[in-house]
Amino acid sequence: MYPTVADALALPVIRQGRPKVVAGSTGLDRRVRWVHVAEVADIAHLLRGGELVLTTGIALPDDPDALRRYIDELAETGVAGLVVELVRHWSEALPAALVAAAERQGMPLVTLSRETRFVAVTEAVVGLIVDAQVAELRAAEQVHETFTALTVAGAEPAEVLREVARASGLPVVLETLSHDVLAYDTAGMDPSELLADWARRSRAVTVSERTSYHADAGWLVTVVGARGNDWGRLVLLCPEPPQHRQLVIIERAASALAVHRLVARDREGLERHAHRTLLTELLSSPTTPSDLTARAGALGVPLERRQLVGMSVRPSTAALIKPTRPALSMATQEVLRDLAEATALAARRARVAALVGVVDDTSVRALLSLTPQADPDTVLRRLTKEIHQAATAAPRAMPVVVAVGSNVGTVSDARRSLIEAAQVAQAALRSPGGHAAARAYHRLDDVRLRGLLHLLAEDDRVAAFADRELGPLIARDASHGSRLVDALRHFCEHGGNKSAAATAAHMSRTAYYQQLARIEQVLGVSLDDPESVLSLHVALIALSVRTGT
């Protein structure tokens, strides 16, 4: 904001006095906050710092110690520079003690060999200061207008950061309070260099105020948040102490980001709530509420004369499959909320109308509304690609399993498609081999026998069959603490390959073969009989579907 000592010395009114820098030339870039004319030696305590002091030297002492003390006191106060007229007290040169002290302090010491009107100097330098302040205010006003426009337009964080980098010419990073990078703009810097070991570097930078400059790191940091709910930090990599304009830029950007978060959270929260309500009503009753179609249409999801496809999106992380503790359940709900937002974002990007919401503790449900002319497979490939990308870019990045139900043409059949999608997702998630997330999306025919058993999970006859086949083995494990059911599962999943099954069970082949013999004894069957093995494998899958294990 303020002119430098060098700027002041370049003014014509000072140039007429033939200025000469006799000491402290390294400090010519110091900022001049004001000009002060002082003819007394003990002036330092009356100054505030940043002044360019003008003097004829008429009242200054000749004693070297007193001159050194005079310079030291001015330097301690933070004076920008000292200009001495060589006319009244000293005419040829300044005392060596004065020059040496100024050089030692790095404080610009300037002589004027001609008589100079100090009032004209004061007016000219103050004019520079005022012009700089006006320019800074105009620049700040422009910054305010720019970021206000971004805020009103609901600009995404990437767009806000792009403007920060453009306006400041410096790299900027938006991070969480746990130092995870949410977004950044390199301003031409190498991204790998900017983000290298970011979390460790960021943890080392602590600030005491909401906006602070950390000189050692060269970081200008401001906290991002609103309503007492801070959620991130905006970091401007600023090698030099920041100018006022840079402070305005980063603080206005932080405000824009905070408002975007609030608006987006409230808007999406209301939208997700409305979608969840409609999906819950669809799933909870075999009959469709009379006004559901109209309410969905009002949300931008037409349901009449459309192709409707149920969808289930589940985190593929094993720890999130079945929460068993309140804390885990809470964490799962947070993950699912993020996943719902990611799924909704993907649907918007793919231009697919959809109801998206969280209706239970396991998955995100969606009902896709496609035009009669659309090719469902083409739309699903495009949409699921966006879902996988959005899920990995979410605050809690995670791989997901996407499953879809059958295409239906009426709202009354949408419930069946939604239920089918959920069952297919669960079957795909529990399929052996860990390849569930490798496929872009799953249909019923992709999960084969397991999918069929999921559809029949509520059928008492399937449960009775599983109990009949495996009951004695389950009872044996319960009474003896054995793991014969697990041993049988490894055998079936490896197609009867005993060596591979033993390896999967982490047992020696001798011990594993003994367990297989015990299984045959308990069940009264031969594991060399293909039909018996098939029957047991079906029973194991049915048991897994029923118990969720």
Side-chain angles (χ1 to χ4, degrees), residues 68-91:
R68 281 190 287 269
R69 185 166 57 253
Y70 171 67
I71 291 294
D72 289 345
E73 290 175 353
L74 290 179
E76 184 178 353
T77 303
V79 164
L82 176 64
V83 178
V84 183
E85 186 184 75
L86 295 179
V87 175
R88 290 171 175 79
H89 189 170
W90 301 293
S91 57

Side-chain angles (χ1 to χ4, degrees), residues 488-501:
L488 178 61
R489 181 177 289 110
H490 288 303
F491 179 81
C492 293
E493 288 178 351
H494 287 82
N497 186 323
K498 296 179 182 179
S499 296

Side-chain angles (χ1 to χ4, degrees), residues 218-241:
W219 284 15
L220 177 60
V221 181
T222 190
V223 177
V224 183
R227 299 180 183 174
N229 183 23
D230 297 334
W231 52 266
R233 301 198 310 176
L234 191 60
V235 180
L236 189 67
L237 275 66
C238 191
E240 301 295 331

Side-chain angles (χ1 to χ4, degrees), residues 445-516:
D445 53 358
D446 296 324
V447 290
R448 309 178 72 183
L449 176 60
R450 187 177 295 270
L452 173 63
L453 291 175
H454 268 280
L455 292 178
L456 300 175
E458 302 300 323
D459 193 314
D460 292 338
R461 291 169 295 182
V462 175
F465 168 76
D467 291 339
R468 191 165 56 247
E469 291 289 318
L470 300 172
L473 208 59
I474 295 172
R476 171 77 183 203
D477 281 351
S479 62
H480 289 76
S482 56
R483 300 177 63 86
L484 297 180
V485 172
D486 289 341
L488 178 61
R489 181 177 289 110
H490 288 303
F491 179 81
C492 293
E493 288 178 351
H494 287 82
N497 186 323
K498 296 179 182 179
S499 296
T503 301
H506 304 291
M507 297 176 65
S508 68
R509 281 187 288 182
T510 301
Y512 187 71
Y513 294 167
Q514 290 174 351
Q515 289 210 345
L516 292 181

Side-chain angles (χ1 to χ4, degrees), residues 8-28:
L9 297 182
L11 289 169
V13 68
I14 294 183
R15 299 298 301 169
Q16 291 173 5
R18 294 184 178 178
K20 180 180 180 181
V21 180
V22 297
S25 59
T26 57
L28 290 175

Side-chain angles (χ1 to χ4, degrees), residues 383-402:
L383 174 58
T384 53
K385 179 181 178 181
E386 291 287 351
I387 289 175
H388 287 291
Q389 291 178 347
T392 55
R396 298 173 180 82
M398 72 200 83
V400 296
V401 171
V402 181

Side-chain angles (χ1 to χ4, degrees), residues 102-282:
E103 185 65 32
R104 173 170 49 82
Q105 293 286 358
M107 185 177 73
L109 178 60
V110 181
T111 60
L112 299 175
S113 59
R114 287 183 176 180
E115 185 176 27
T116 304
R117 295 179 61 205
F118 283 174
V119 64
V121 172
T122 300
E123 289 177 348
V125 176
V126 169
L128 274 183
I129 294 171
V130 171
D131 289 345
Q133 289 177 328
V134 170
E136 191 69 25
L137 288 173
R138 286 174 178 167
E141 183 180 4
Q142 184 178 6
V143 169
H144 280 287
E145 291 176 352
T146 298
F147 284 101
T148 297
L150 289 174
T151 301
V152 172
E156 295 291 329
E159 190 175 351
V160 175
L161 266 59
R162 191 179 308 119
E163 179 58 30
V164 173
R166 187 202 64 78
S168 66
L170 297 170
V172 60
V173 176
L174 174 64
E175 65 170 7
T176 67
L177 294 180
S178 56
H179 311 291
D180 296 323
V181 175
L182 296 174
Y184 64 90
D185 193 295
T186 64
M189 184 178 179
D190 182 0
S192 60
E193 180 182 351
L194 172 64
L195 301 178
D197 203 14
W198 179 266
R200 181 192 61 79
R201 290 160 54 202
S202 181
R203 279 192 292 269
V205 177
T206 58
V207 294
S208 56
E209 299 179 2
R210 196 161 185 85
T211 300
S212 296
Y213 180 67
H214 194 283
D216 292 340
W219 284 15
L220 177 60
V221 181
T222 190
V223 177
V224 183
R227 299 180 183 174
N229 183 23
D230 297 334
W231 52 266
R233 301 198 310 176
L234 191 60
V235 180
L236 189 67
L237 275 66
C238 191
E240 301 295 331
Q243 301 176 9
H244 176 72
R245 184 167 183 268
Q246 292 167 333
L247 290 170
V248 173
I249 289 172
I250 195 170
E251 289 181 346
R252 289 295 292 119
S255 298
L257 291 168
V259 171
H260 173 270
R261 171 89 170 219
L262 288 172
V263 172
R265 184 182 65 189
D266 291 343
R267 182 183 67 242
E268 297 298 331
L270 291 172
E271 182 179 333
R272 293 285 73 71
H273 176 75
H275 284 212
R276 178 171 59 84
T277 300
L278 292 179
L279 288 169
T280 301
E281 291 181 12
L282 266 174

